Amino acid sequence: MSKYIIKAHKFVTVSELGTIYNGAMVIEHGKIIALGSWQDIKQRNNEQLPITDFGNLTVAPGLIDCHTHLLEFAPTSLYPVTKDTQTLAAKAILLKTLASGITALGEQICGSPMLYKEINDLKRSMKDFPIDISYATTSISIGLEPIQHFTSVTGSIAVDRDVLVQHNIIMSIAQNSEFPGENIFINATPANFTKDLIPNAGVIIYSQEELNTIVSIFHSINRKIGTHVAGEVGIDMALNAKFDVLHHAHGISDEQINRVAHQKVKIVATPLGGTHLPPNTVEEVMKMVNANITVAISSDGYLPPHENTVTFPKIMQGLIGPDSLMAIANPFMKKLHEAGFGENDILSLITLNPAKILEKDHQFGSLEVGKDANFLVADGIPGLDIVDVEQIKAVYFCGEKMIQRN
Ligand SMILES: [Zn+2]
């Protein structure tokens, strides 16, 4: 179907249109070309376009998880695959992601020892998959003894720390990075290892001078840069060096939240974990939103939940991924609702704000005329009213219905 109408009880647009009751949306060639009340759209429908009526359901923008590790680490963590089946595992993971309402991802390419294939082969295999994937190239420092460093340029062989600060390596990472992901790890990460294996998690890898230089290399070719960072010392260094996006920012102080707002830095909160410190609290994220910081909530999946994640049911065991994004974001979204924020602003935490991190908010992230027709149809507002993926009844990518539940 190249041109048709979607009709439903409620459209949460996450745009200036806010929520539209008894609304309708006209899609043509994968784009939204009109959006408004059913009355309006009906009157203008002199072409007798086909209508899909979703009755009492809610239409919302496709969800976006802007910090994931689905291609490098997840396939071999979740499936007993070989070089020949790794791509299949990646596709299975992406299908599960799509089926949970996610139509765009911010994927980190760190240079993984767990990858059997060339990352570019894997990326190519995903090219036609109905999810918009942006790739951030990075280096990574893992807090084992001794600390192990990898880069997306040098691939699955560990490198000396000094390689991380070589001009040509940084330049290559910058040139290949499509958005400010966790391009460098200011603190060594625990990755998915158990505590006993990672005595060096949290160790600061760079000097202030080195960080300043790395940021200036990215900025010299007009690339924004993000960082994996946690703890007040690391966050101060990141803000001094003028990073554009902080990923995790666990343990951020009130004063630093003000500084982030003042410097117009964006934050990707990862409430499940992902650093050496306890993850973001609901109160922390409330303060960020109140300070008008662009905050996205992300899974950092697949990840074992931190023991101190106060925001996620303890019954969830094992590795958690983007199919749990609604559940991960739910305590934050509920708290904002209690504090009187509107549902469109609240939903932006997992739609428009991550689209801004990916620098694709002109293309998707909200329901607006001219944007890609990436949307879901559900029993309520994803993450706020519903957390169960079974309640997502349909997912559309570029105007095509890709997921359907009865
Ligand atoms: Zn990560």
Side-chain angles (χ1 to χ4, degrees):
M1 246 190 318
S2 73
K3 191 171 183 184
Y4 60 93
I5 295 175
I6 294 283
K7 174 178 182 284
H9 167 65
K10 184 173 177 179
F11 284 71
V12 185
T13 67
V14 195
S15 75
E16 282 179 1
L17 296 172
T19 296
I20 304 169
Y21 285 96
N22 297 315
M25 182 162 77
V26 186
I27 314 291
E28 184 176 25
H29 299 311
K31 300 271 183 195
I32 300 166
I33 63 159
L35 180 61
S37 72
W38 166 236
Q39 284 307 329
D40 264 11
I41 301 282
K42 188 169 70 176
Q43 262 167 22
R44 286 189 280 158
N45 182 20
N46 32 32
E47 294 169 69
Q48 301 296 320
L49 294 175
I51 298 161
T52 306
D53 188 345
F54 282 106
N56 260 330
L57 297 175
T58 297
V59 177
L63 308 183
I64 302 174
D65 193 345
C66 68
H67 184 142
T68 58
H69 300 266
L70 303 186
L71 297 191
E72 275 184 339
F73 293 96
T76 42
S77 307
L78 297 176
Y79 295 96
V81 288
T82 66
K83 184 173 188 282
D84 289 321
T85 46
Q86 190 164 27
T87 305
L88 292 178
K91 285 193 174 168
I93 291 163
L94 288 187
L95 180 61
K96 202 174 179 193
T97 300
L98 179 67
S100 48
I102 292 170
T103 53
L105 291 170
E107 177 72 2
Q108 317 294 322
I109 301 296
C110 307
S112 163
M114 289 170 72
L115 198 66
Y116 305 138
K117 290 186 82 124
E118 257 292 293
I119 186 63
N120 287 329
D121 283 354
L122 208 48
K123 279 167 74 171
R124 255 193 304 278
S125 316
M126 301 305 144
K127 218 170 162 33
D128 296 324
F129 199 94
I131 290 185
D132 186 282
I133 309 177
S134 305
Y135 295 95
T137 41
T138 83
S139 60
I140 186 172
S141 301
I142 302 175
L144 299 158
E145 176 59 46
I147 298 178
Q148 287 209 38
H149 310 281
F150 299 88
T151 85
S152 56
V153 180
T154 45
S156 57
I157 302 152
V159 296
D160 286 344
R161 195 217 69 110
D162 289 351
V163 174
L164 304 184
V165 293
Q166 277 174 14
H167 188 276
N168 60 325
I169 296 283
I170 304 290
M171 184 55 95
S172 179
I173 292 173
Q175 283 166 340
N176 289 298
S177 192
E178 297 173 357
F179 76 98
E182 51 184 348
N183 298 107
I184 75 149
F185 284 57
I186 290 181
N187 313 86
T189 173
N192 288 0
F193 292 105
T194 49
K195 249 187 182 160
D196 49 313
L197 292 175
I198 34 128
N200 290 315
V203 166
I204 289 180
I205 304 294
Y206 301 87
S207 71
Q208 183 69 59
E209 215 178 358
E210 286 168 340
L211 292 178
N212 298 349
T213 304
I214 291 168
V215 172
S216 71
I217 292 171
F218 271 69
H219 287 173
S220 74
I221 57 164
N222 281 320
R223 288 289 155 91
K224 292 205 166 81
I225 178 169
T227 181
H228 166 112
V229 68
E232 288 191 37
V233 176
I235 292 171
D236 261 341
M237 292 173 84
L239 292 173
N240 291 341
K242 306 245 169 352
F243 279 88
D244 302 290
V245 176
L246 306 185
H247 289 255
H248 314 294
H250 299 160
I252 193 170
S253 71
D254 290 357
E255 197 199 321
Q256 288 176 325
I257 289 175
N258 291 333
R259 215 177 143 198
V260 165
H262 183 73
Q263 289 185 210
K264 299 207 181 324
V265 171
K266 298 182 177 78
I267 292 184
V268 177
T270 59
L272 272 192
T275 73
H276 60 293
L277 292 181
N280 311 96
T281 63
V282 171
E283 291 68 33
E284 228 168 68
V285 171
M286 277 292 290
K287 284 177 192 158
M288 294 173 190
V289 173
N290 277 319
N292 270 323
I293 295 167
T294 299
V295 192
I297 292 186
S298 191
S299 72
D300 196 11
Y302 276 76
L303 189 74
H306 191 279
E307 59 189 6
N308 292 341
T309 177
V310 290
T311 61
F312 205 61
K314 288 275 186 280
I315 43 165
M316 296 292 282
Q317 294 289 321
L319 295 172
I320 307 290
D323 51 310
S324 298
L325 184 61
M326 290 192 293
I328 294 167
N330 178 253
F332 298 85
M333 295 173 76
K334 273 197 339 217
K335 187 76 180 182
L336 287 170
H337 198 241
E338 280 165 29
F341 283 88
E343 57 196 23
N344 286 269
D345 286 339
I346 296 169
L347 186 55
S348 71
L349 290 178
I350 49 174
T351 55
L352 187 59
N353 290 359
K356 287 178 180 170
I357 303 280
L358 299 177
E359 305 188 291
K360 287 186 172 170
D361 49 305
H362 59 283
Q363 191 188 333
F364 52 66
S366 59
L367 303 177
E368 278 179 85
V369 170
K371 287 197 179 181
D372 290 353
N374 296 354
F375 59 94
L376 57 85
V377 185
D379 284 335
I381 299 174
L384 186 59
D385 302 328
I386 64 164
V387 295
D388 181 358
V389 296
E390 292 298 318
Q391 291 182 281
I392 292 180
K393 298 303 178 190
V395 182
Y396 284 71
F397 180 76
C398 290
E400 301 291 336
K401 191 199 254 187
M402 297 296 179
I403 297 293
Q404 173 173 295
R405 284 190 184 89
N406 295 317

